[in-house]
Amino acid sequence: MTAAAQEPTTRAPRIAVVDYGMGNRRSVEKALEHVGASAVVTHDHAELRAADGLVVPGVGAFARAMANLREQGLDAMIAARAGEGVPVLGICLGMQLLFDGSSERGGAAGLGLLRGSVGELAADGYKLPHIGWNLVQWQRESALNAGVEDCALYHVHSFVARPADPADIVGVAEYGERFASAVARPPLYGVQFHPEKSSLNGLRILANFAAVCAAARPQAVARA
């Protein structure tokens, strides 16, 4: 039996947290490990190509994030891996980056993997940024929210994604306006909240994503 055939098909999915210098990357890494994934924070292209799934984290300005991604060729890498069917999860700013572009600070183009734009949250007099626990109501079932009821999840943001196709929206929250708090168009997934800071329900969502990565991974075939 070859070495490849001896590899157990039940190994933990390897998920790469894309390191482009922004976001709480280590917290996401530790949360993924907590739910049983093998996680690594990296900008190395070989590691990103070898991963079963990618997480794009992010806290900060949209244009700066995209500049950092492009400088390291990570924008093309994320797009290529998604095109191969590899699951990609964007968290907070990372979810916004999946869309066509943002109006923040004069505007910038995004990854363009999901149709739609990002604009300032119409908070209707509420203080920005929106910080804290907010009820997320699921609009439809998805692999991302399997086994998770409507619940409060932790948000920190001033901008929101507005998907062009309402069918991409999985969950909504409200802070002045109703906004998309979770989206899915497999293999692309995004959450405006921080699952790594959202207690048991957030961990369940990360575990669901890890399961998606494991299911999408080509299975080793034993050969005599």
Side-chain angles (χ1 to χ4, degrees):
M1 187 177 290
T2 66
Q6 292 171 0
E7 180 185 7
T9 60
T10 56
R11 70 171 172 84
R14 185 160 181 80
I15 300 176
V17 180
V18 181
D19 184 3
Y20 61 99
M22 297 174 68
N24 49 340
R25 305 174 296 283
R26 297 299 175 188
S27 297
V28 174
E29 178 189 35
K30 291 183 181 298
L32 287 166
E33 290 175 344
H34 184 79
V35 300
S38 172
V40 60
V41 176
T42 185
H43 55 76
D44 182 79
H45 284 213
E47 291 211 50
L48 294 170
R49 280 192 295 269
D52 301 315
L54 304 183
V55 171
V56 184
V59 175
F62 189 104
R64 172 66 182 277
M66 285 303 306
N68 287 4
L69 287 170
R70 291 192 180 102
E71 183 178 340
Q72 301 177 72
L74 297 172
D75 57 336
M77 174 59 70
I78 294 166
R81 298 252 60 205
E84 295 164 359
V86 173
V88 176
L89 172 65
I91 295 176
C92 195
L93 175 61
M95 166 176 152
Q96 297 174 13
L97 296 174
L98 299 178
F99 287 85
D100 292 317
S102 172
S103 63
E104 183 181 7
R105 298 185 183 180
L111 293 170
L113 301 177
L114 291 173
R115 301 277 75 83
S117 61
V118 175
E120 187 171 17
L121 178 62
D124 193 26
Y126 290 109
K127 183 179 179 179
L128 288 176
H130 168 214
I131 301 176
W133 295 83
N134 201 325
L135 177 67
V136 174
Q137 296 177 301
W138 305 117
Q139 303 301 287
R140 63 179 177 87
E141 292 184 0
S142 157
L144 198 62
N145 64 350
V148 182
E149 301 291 336
D150 291 356
C151 60
L153 297 162
Y154 191 77
H155 295 71
V156 181
H157 63 117
S158 297
F159 285 75
V160 294
R162 299 188 173 97
D165 187 347
D168 290 345
I169 300 174
V170 172
V172 299
E174 187 167 345
Y175 188 80
E177 67 168 309
R178 278 168 67 88
F179 61 89
S181 189
V183 296
R185 180 181 285 269
L188 300 167
Y189 302 87
V191 291
Q192 184 60 64
F193 53 86
H194 286 272
E196 77 281 6
K197 296 182 178 180
S198 294
S199 191
L200 294 179
N201 285 316
L203 290 175
R204 178 61 184 269
I205 288 166
L206 288 178
N208 287 343
F209 179 70
V212 169
C213 295
R217 177 179 64 213
Q219 298 297 308
V221 178
R223 297 191 302 272

